[in-house]
Amino acid sequence: MTVLDDRTAVAPPTPLPALPDRRRRRRTALGRVARMTRFELTMIFRQKVALMSILLAPATAIGIASFTKPVDDAAWLSLLSSMAVLVLILAVYTTTTSTVVSRRENQVLKRFRTSELLPRQMLFSLAAPYVLVGIGQVVVLTAAYQAMGAPSVARPELFALVVVATTVMSVLAGFATGTMTANSERVQFGVMPIMMTGLVTSIMVLNPGLSDNVRGLVLLAPYASSSDLAARALGAPADTFATPAVVVDLAERLDVSASLLMTGANSLLLAFWCLVFVQVARSKWRWEPRG
């Protein structure tokens, strides 16, 4: 305080507030998301059910390979494609569903809404650890199969892209199923339709004993297109894949390869199911326990 004379006292001018630094604010938001992601990742390994699913899924796939003992490269690649999908269903989809339901039931999601995290940041932090876990499990499974006699991946970059896309779809499917599951006691029933459909169709679509038209219909189910795309990226022979008559006719009219057309169709189907699960999750999502 500055004293002018005995009668007048004037306070010093109040400094203007500093303008927020956009870079600092952005780093702070990223830091919050990173901290929340690390927390969710550690929580996965503290939950006995989630940890059991994560460990048993690749162990089951490796055990199936040891029991069936594929005799040639085509059998190995077909098995790896379907078992990679199995791992993502059992370890990512079911675990994500269980986590969403339990967090909502325990009102953890509701409490987090009062934190500095935005809703989309919180959901990203919840989903990211399961994407990382799913990718890591497929890497371990692929390495184990190659050590057991499977051939090397023909196109690693495409296989990695399929694995990442399927893992993201599994997380989105877990969010969608979790929104429609009332409580933790009903999780095992809530995941059953998608889980059984995915496990069965991912094997059927690569079975040359079925007709191409039947396998073409199977491709419409979730996870079937992922199994087909994974087999193509791994380098499986042409007779492994379904090419319905309608696709053959369309390929001749467009003067393109039927294999290329099927790859594009399967990619669109994978994107379609991702959008379906996103729409279901957005329309049914609740932050508080369901009544």
Side-chain angles (χ1 to χ4, degrees):
M1 183 177 295
T2 304
V3 179
L4 299 180
D5 52 29
D6 296 340
R7 294 171 299 174
T8 307
V10 179
T14 303
L16 295 176
L19 295 177
D21 188 351
R22 293 184 178 180
R23 294 182 179 178
R24 183 177 180 181
R25 183 173 55 188
R26 187 179 300 114
R27 288 198 299 267
T28 303
L30 292 176
R32 290 196 296 266
V33 173
R35 288 194 298 271
M36 186 64 185
T37 302
R38 289 196 299 269
F39 169 75
E40 292 291 344
L41 189 59
T42 57
M43 287 300 296
I44 292 177
F45 297 97
R46 294 180 182 179
Q47 300 173 4
K48 294 181 179 179
V49 176
L51 184 59
M52 185 178 298
S53 300
I54 291 172
L55 295 177
L56 286 181
T60 301
I62 294 173
I64 291 175
S66 301
F67 179 77
T68 57
K69 297 179 180 180
V71 295
D72 54 18
D73 290 351
W76 271 114
L77 297 177
S78 178
L79 182 64
L80 177 57
S81 302
S82 57
M83 290 300 102
V85 172
L86 177 144
V87 166
L88 295 178
I89 292 174
L90 296 181
V92 178
Y93 165 61
T94 59
T95 308
T96 303
T97 303
S98 178
T99 300
V100 170
V101 175
S102 63
R103 297 291 170 82
R104 185 184 65 233
E105 191 175 18
N106 296 331
Q107 298 191 5
V108 175
L109 297 179
K110 181 180 179 180
R111 290 195 296 269
F112 278 160
R113 291 201 69 187
T114 62
S115 67
E116 296 180 344
L117 285 173
L118 298 176
R120 61 176 180 272
Q121 294 173 345
M122 183 172 60
L123 295 178
F124 178 84
S125 302
L126 182 62
Y130 294 98
V131 174
L132 298 176
V133 167
I135 294 172
Q137 286 185 314
V138 175
V139 170
V140 171
L141 178 64
T142 304
Y145 272 31
Q146 291 180 355
M148 297 169 65
S152 58
V153 180
R155 305 185 66 178
E157 71 285 355
L158 292 182
F159 182 64
L161 183 61
V162 173
V163 170
V164 171
T166 307
T167 308
V168 172
M169 185 186 71
S170 301
V171 173
L172 296 176
F175 276 32
T177 306
T179 60
M180 297 185 295
T181 304
N183 51 57
S184 299
E185 297 178 354
R186 300 183 181 180
V187 169
Q188 57 183 342
F189 302 105
V191 300
M192 196 64 65
I194 293 179
M195 183 179 70
M196 295 305 300
T197 301
L199 294 177
V200 173
T201 57
S202 63
I203 298 174
M204 289 180 60
V205 75
L206 299 178
N207 183 7
L210 299 175
S211 66
D212 284 358
N213 291 332
V214 171
R215 289 194 290 167
L217 293 176
V218 171
L219 280 171
L220 299 177
Y223 288 104
S225 57
S226 297
S227 183
D228 183 276
L229 289 171
R232 293 177 188 272
L234 290 171
D239 59 355
T240 306
F241 310 110
T243 309
V246 63
V247 175
V248 175
D249 295 339
L250 183 60
E252 292 178 353
R253 294 180 181 179
L254 299 177
D255 194 20
V256 297
S257 170
S259 177
L260 180 62
L261 200 58
M262 285 300 300
T263 301
N266 287 326
S267 301
L268 290 177
L269 284 171
L270 180 56
F272 167 77
W273 282 111
C274 288
L275 292 176
V276 169
F277 293 137
V278 167
Q279 184 60 34
V280 172
R282 291 183 62 182
S283 61
K284 302 293 184 180
W285 185 264
R286 290 188 181 182
W287 298 97
E288 301 180 9
R290 300 180 67 91

